[in-house]
Structure formats: structure tokens, C-alpha cells
Amino acid sequence: MRITLRQIEVFAAIARSENVSRAAEALAMSQSAASSALVELERQFACPLFDRIGKSLRLNATGRGLLPQAEDILARAAEIEGFLAGGQLGPLAVGATMTIGNYLATLIVADYLQRHPTSRLDLKVANTRHILDGVLRCELDLGLIEGEANDPDLVLDPWLADELVVFCAPQHPLSASGRASTVQLAEQPWILREAGSGTRALFDRAIAPRLASLQIRLQLEHTEAIKRAVEAGLGLACLSRVALREAFRRGSLVELRTPQFDLRRNFYFVRHRQRHVSPASRAFQALCRDFGAALQAAGDLAPDQ
């Protein structure tokens, strides 16, 4: 073959970091060796893979098309190494949105690592937009998201049924009735997730357009910060039931029933269409489904849609 696995590894590392020296450091090789490997790969096929902009390298159209195939080859190579080492699963990079990452994914990761103690799993927690970007750039093998995606390079598989819940502090005037009309909601200040989150996208689609006015007091990236702000009496909020189940049990927060809105949604697995689904990814998804089924059976999630 005219191409080597090392060249593919160097190309993928440079594509991730957009910098030869950082890629070389990640691969424990000299900068000159990494640069030579990339130059030789491009020279062999008379095909540039990057646009050179100052000291940074940005993938061109050919490079973007090659990256998922390169990551696929590297993942399969890792599987072969694991097989030869006695069946060890290859490394896995998982991204999870804030709600899933903080309340579900960490528990699943712990279970996965207990079952496969010699395996490596990296977990990134960010909002939906950042997780989708990571999957598209092939930085993540698998994403767990609470929003939807329409990119043709992505494949979505439903995982769990979820729903958003409007809630307030126990001392709030609306807590006594446990419900709120659309008129009442328009009169209240809100603490909301930031733009780019799946939770905010559903709120903006289902609730915001039907309010005569929307008073946003705070926009916060973290669900725990939103819960603390509501407990302090700063206003109403709307989050996943998954994030609120313990607070509702303790009585530190109160659900406000809003049957006038459809706040149901799904959690999804998301992967790049061109990426091979590795044994590690399949094993992790199986644990996710088992964990979700247990929560569903316990009544801690929205009913199946």
C-alpha cells in the first residue's frame, strides 16, 4: 500500500488540533516527523488536505471528506489491538449534553468502566450544539443529546422519552395550586438555559411563542445553578424531569402542571454516518438502554411516547 497507518494517525491528529506541534506532542513524536508524514501523504497523491493559514492548518474539502474515514480506520486498528491483547475494548470518546451528562451519563460511565476496567473512556459534557460539532468533527465517537439534529452526516437513534417541567420554589404564590395558566406564566420572571441547548430550543418552540411577554431574568448554562436560582425565589424555570426528580422528592422545588403545552421530547444517540460503530460503542449503548429501562420502570422518566 502507498499509505501507512502512521500517516493516517498523523493526519487525524493534525485535523483535530489544527496545529502540527500539538499533534506531534499528542502522538509523542517530533514536530519534524509529524510534518514530514503529512507532507509525504499529500505528495504521494498530489492532493492537499489542508489550507495553510498562518501557523494553523484548516481542513479543506478533501480533508473533511477523509477525516471520518481516517478516524474509522484508526478505530478499527484499536479494535484489532484490543482483540490481540485478549478482547479488550478499544478507546471510546462520548459526548453528552448537560442534562444527560450531569444526571445520567456519569453513572453509566462508572458502570461501563467497572465492567471493562482496562478500557479507556473519555466523557465530554457540553450543550447540544457543541456535542453535535464534536461528532461532526470526529472528535466524539458517540453523542447523547436532548435536542434534534438535521445534518445529513449525522445518524440519530431514539434512546429515552423525556419531558420538560415548569417549576418554582415552595414559597412561590403559584406553588399552592401546583399549576399555572399561560397568562400567569407571562407575568413571571424566568431563569432559562442558554441558546444552543436542547432544553432552551424546546422551551422557545413550545412555550415562549404563546406568552404575551417573556421576562428573562437570567440565562445560565448549568441546571444546578438554575435550580438554586429558583429555590432563591428569582423566578420560574423549565428543565428536564430527569434533573428535577430528587428536588421534587425533597420538596425543595415544586412542579407546576402546564397541560396546555406539549413538552415531551426524546433523548438520542448520535453518531457520524461514515463512522464505524465499534464494539466499545455498542457495549456503551447497550448499558445506556439498560439504565434507561430501569429508570422508566421506576417511574423517574416521562412515560413512553
Side-chain angles (χ1 to χ4, degrees):
M1 294 182 65
R2 297 171 61 193
I3 194 169
T4 69
L5 191 60
R6 189 60 162 173
Q7 288 174 322
I8 292 294
E9 187 177 36
V10 169
F11 160 74
I14 294 174
R16 293 187 209 106
S17 64
E18 298 184 338
N19 182 278
V20 175
S21 60
R22 287 197 296 268
E25 184 179 354
L27 296 176
M29 61 191 300
S30 70
Q31 180 175 341
S32 61
S35 180
S36 296
L38 175 62
V39 169
E40 179 63 16
L41 176 62
E42 293 180 315
R43 186 196 63 77
Q44 281 177 299
F45 298 93
C47 183
L49 300 170
F50 293 90
D51 294 322
R52 273 69 175 176
I53 304 173
K55 294 183 178 180
S56 66
L57 293 88
R58 303 287 175 83
L59 283 172
N60 60 23
T62 304
R64 287 193 296 272
L66 177 60
L67 182 57
Q69 299 178 66
E71 294 284 10
D72 188 29
I73 289 173
L74 295 173
R76 289 175 185 247
E79 289 174 26
I80 292 172
E81 288 184 338
F83 173 77
L84 294 175
Q88 176 180 326
L89 292 175
L92 184 64
V94 176
T97 51
M98 295 291 190
T99 299
I100 297 173
N102 291 328
Y103 300 98
L104 300 178
T106 49
L107 300 174
I108 299 169
V109 167
D111 190 7
Y112 178 91
L113 293 177
Q114 287 175 352
R115 294 172 186 245
H116 310 285
T118 59
S119 298
R120 188 185 117 199
L121 190 152
D122 296 324
L123 176 64
K124 174 182 179 179
V125 178
N127 69 25
T128 298
R129 182 169 54 200
H130 288 120
I131 297 303
L132 293 178
D133 286 345
V135 174
L136 285 168
R137 290 195 302 266
C138 299
E139 297 170 355
L140 300 172
D141 300 300
L142 180 69
L144 309 176
I145 65 170
E146 60 207 65
E148 297 186 8
N150 299 313
D151 194 294
D153 288 330
L154 298 176
V155 176
L156 270 68
D157 294 314
W159 172 28
L160 288 175
D162 181 45
E163 65 180 351
L164 298 188
V165 179
V166 177
F167 62 97
C168 66
Q171 67 272 20
H172 194 281
L174 293 176
S175 67
S177 64
R179 61 189 307 119
S181 68
T182 304
V183 172
Q184 289 173 317
L185 295 178
E187 296 170 346
Q188 300 297 321
W190 288 85
I191 298 95
L192 298 176
R193 284 288 308 274
E194 81 289 359
S197 77
T199 296
R200 177 63 181 272
L202 180 52
F203 178 90
D204 286 346
R205 187 167 65 248
I207 296 180
R210 296 178 56 185
L211 302 184
S213 64
L214 176 59
Q215 306 174 47
I216 301 177
R217 175 167 283 178
L218 286 172
Q219 295 183 85
L220 301 170
E221 292 188 1
H222 298 287
T223 54
E224 288 300 312
I226 291 174
K227 288 157 65 177
R228 299 291 87 79
V230 173
E231 287 178 356
L234 296 183
L236 307 184
C238 183
L239 294 173
S240 167
R241 186 173 294 280
V242 168
L244 297 165
R245 51 198 173 112
E246 292 302 325
F248 287 165
R249 285 173 184 162
R250 293 194 309 266
S252 58
L253 294 169
V254 175
E255 177 179 355
L256 296 176
R257 294 187 298 280
T258 54
Q260 66 271 39
F261 305 118
D262 183 1
L263 299 179
R264 295 172 298 171
R265 64 178 181 179
N266 281 310
F267 292 156
Y268 292 92
F269 299 113
V270 59
R271 61 180 176 82
H272 198 291
R273 188 174 298 279
Q274 297 184 51
R275 293 289 299 277
H276 166 65
V277 182
S278 68
S281 184
R282 287 195 294 270
F284 186 80
Q285 287 184 66
L287 280 183
C288 288
R289 294 192 188 281
D290 290 345
F291 188 84
L295 286 178
Q296 207 87 55
D300 286 337
L301 297 175
D304 288 326
Q305 297 176 24

